[in-house]
């Protein structure tokens, strides 16, 4: 009897594991401020939370994890903080890529790389090349990324194809535009998580989040642990994704 109850539940929970989780890792500065530490220490502590969430994704069989590490607006921060973030980025790549590779993680970077120095750009290229064959988890890091930038670069590419005569203006529909976006080859995010208490998108994956389930937590990013990630997954499990249909229609197609 007990077993009969357990098995269908376990199956449906397994089916509902999100394929793609996208996170805004916010609250590092406040975590440090609360401890009278420099903001930089919050960013350093945040790297540990990244490690934990990557491990959880590998354990849970989540296919894609996209992390917002530095937005196109974060250049507005004090020069010293931006510099320290770049140093931490370099240091973290140098330290973590081999381990990620061993664990079957494929790395991708999205955003405008032109703004970064040569050293950082070559580290990103090398990490992508080294891990390109891995297939356990795709870890997408958004750096100097903005959803508006992504849409603008997609529009520019379409315009270039029209100018070359490869495409006519009439061919431009939402699918054509969607195909030119940064992570068009990956499933759209099923679950979005933002830590740090703010309930906003901050120019993250504007197009890709159209039908993503949104989850906000007051926890600051360095405090985000495996239990907190499980809470977010549980919240996701409980949601009915209707994509414009009625609840009855969804139930009927689920039981079919
Ligand atoms: C997120 O934490 C990390 C980055 C934006 C790079 P913040 O640095 O925004 O932390 P708060 O929001 O100031 O606490
Ligand atoms: C969003 O956080 C960007 C990243 C986490 C990288 P911010 O802290 O920059 O967002 P706002 O400025 O509060 O909207
Ligand atoms: Mg913030």
């Amino acid at each position: 009897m007990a077993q009969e109850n357990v098995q269908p539940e376990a199956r449906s929970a397994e089916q509902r594991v999100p394929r793609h989780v996208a996170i805004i890792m916010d609250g590092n500065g406040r975590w440090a401020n609360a401890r009278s530490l420099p903001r930089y220490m919050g960013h350093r502590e945040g790297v540990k939370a990244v490690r934990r969430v990557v491990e959880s994704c590998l354990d849970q069989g989540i296919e894609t994890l996209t992390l917002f590490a530095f937005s196109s607006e974060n250049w507005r921060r004090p020069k010293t903080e931006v510099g320290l973030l770049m140093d931490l980025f370099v240091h973290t790549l140098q330290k973590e890529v081999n381990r990620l590779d061993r664990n079957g993680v494929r790395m991708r970077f999205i955003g405008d790389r032109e703004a970064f120095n040569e050293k950082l750009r070559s580290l990103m290229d090398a990490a992508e090349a080294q891990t390109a064959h891995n297939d356990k988890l795709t870890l997408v890091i958004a750096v100097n990324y903005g959803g508006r930038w992504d849409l603008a670069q997609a529009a520019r590419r379409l315009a270039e194809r029209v100018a070359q005569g490869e495409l006519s203006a009439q061919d431009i529909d939402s699918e054509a535009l969607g195909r030119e976006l940064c992570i068009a080859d990956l499933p759209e995010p099923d679950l979005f998580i933002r830590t740090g208490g703010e309930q906003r998108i901050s120019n993250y994956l504007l197009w890709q989040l159209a039908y993503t389930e949104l989850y906000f937590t007051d926890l600051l990013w360095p405090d985000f642990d495996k239990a907190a990630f499980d809470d977010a997954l549980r919240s996701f499990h409980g949601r009915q994704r209707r994509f414009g249909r009625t609840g009855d229609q969804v139930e009927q197609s689920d039981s079919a």
Side-chain angles (χ1 to χ4, degrees):
M1 180 71 183
Q3 218 177 1
E4 264 172 37
N5 285 338
V6 166
Q7 279 180 345
E9 182 57 40
R11 253 201 316 274
S12 66
E14 193 181 11
Q15 277 168 4
R16 284 170 185 271
V17 167
R19 294 181 67 190
H20 182 173
V21 178
I23 303 183
I24 296 187
M25 312 182 287
D26 197 20
N28 294 349
R30 279 164 286 166
W31 183 94
N33 280 343
R35 288 160 181 76
S36 306
L37 296 169
R39 290 177 58 85
Y40 168 72
M41 294 299 282
H43 298 312
R44 256 180 52 173
E45 198 65 22
V47 175
K48 296 183 190 162
V50 171
R51 254 185 240 134
R52 291 193 293 267
V53 86
V54 167
E55 278 170 20
S56 284
C57 287
L58 286 164
D59 290 347
Q60 309 259 358
I62 290 165
E63 288 170 41
T64 303
L65 173 66
T66 300
L67 300 175
F68 207 1
F70 191 86
S71 77
S72 44
E73 287 71 35
N74 286 146
W75 297 107
R76 295 176 178 163
R77 294 190 176 198
K79 256 200 168 95
T80 48
E81 179 166 347
V82 171
L84 288 168
L85 276 166
M86 295 302 147
D87 290 348
L88 180 64
F89 197 28
V90 167
H91 176 77
T92 305
L93 283 177
Q94 286 169 333
K95 199 162 153 232
E96 302 286 334
V97 172
N98 284 339
R99 189 206 328 226
L100 289 166
D101 186 25
R102 278 198 304 276
N103 288 329
V105 177
R106 176 170 71 136
M107 296 187 73
R108 284 266 290 271
F109 297 91
I110 58 168
D112 187 357
R113 297 187 197 194
E114 296 300 309
F116 297 119
N117 66 31
E118 183 53 40
K119 181 172 186 185
L120 195 41
R121 286 210 303 255
S122 60
L123 276 171
M124 290 192 274
D125 291 345
E128 286 179 332
Q130 183 181 336
T131 63
H133 60 283
N134 291 335
D135 61 3
K136 288 220 165 48
L137 170 72
T138 299
L139 174 61
V140 183
I141 312 277
V143 278
N144 193 21
Y145 177 86
R148 290 178 176 176
W149 166 83
D150 198 359
L151 283 161
Q153 66 82 28
R156 196 180 318 117
R157 285 209 248 178
L158 287 175
E160 277 161 11
R161 287 174 57 198
V162 171
Q164 300 293 321
E166 284 174 35
L167 202 70
S168 84
Q170 279 70 32
D171 296 329
I172 298 176
D173 54 13
S174 66
E175 274 173 34
L177 186 65
R179 274 197 295 272
E180 301 296 335
L181 294 169
C182 278
I183 46 174
D185 56 321
L186 300 175
E188 288 185 351
D190 301 295
L191 173 64
F192 161 96
I193 299 171
R194 181 174 187 144
T195 61
E198 314 299 346
Q199 303 201 354
R200 54 178 172 249
I201 303 292
S202 298
N203 198 19
Y204 200 23
L205 306 156
L206 297 179
W207 175 282
Q208 296 86 345
L209 293 174
Y211 264 105
T212 304
E213 297 297 327
L214 307 181
Y215 180 87
F216 298 94
T217 169
D218 289 338
L219 277 178
L220 303 173
W221 176 249
D223 292 327
F224 193 77
D225 57 13
K226 290 191 177 185
F229 190 56
D230 286 345
D231 285 344
L233 294 177
R234 252 192 303 280
S235 167
F236 176 80
H237 294 161
R239 305 200 190 178
Q240 185 187 53
R241 306 187 71 193
R242 291 194 279 275
F243 298 100
R245 293 174 296 164
T246 69
D248 285 349
Q249 284 178 302
V250 173
E251 276 170 32
Q252 272 162 25
S253 69
D254 280 355
S255 63

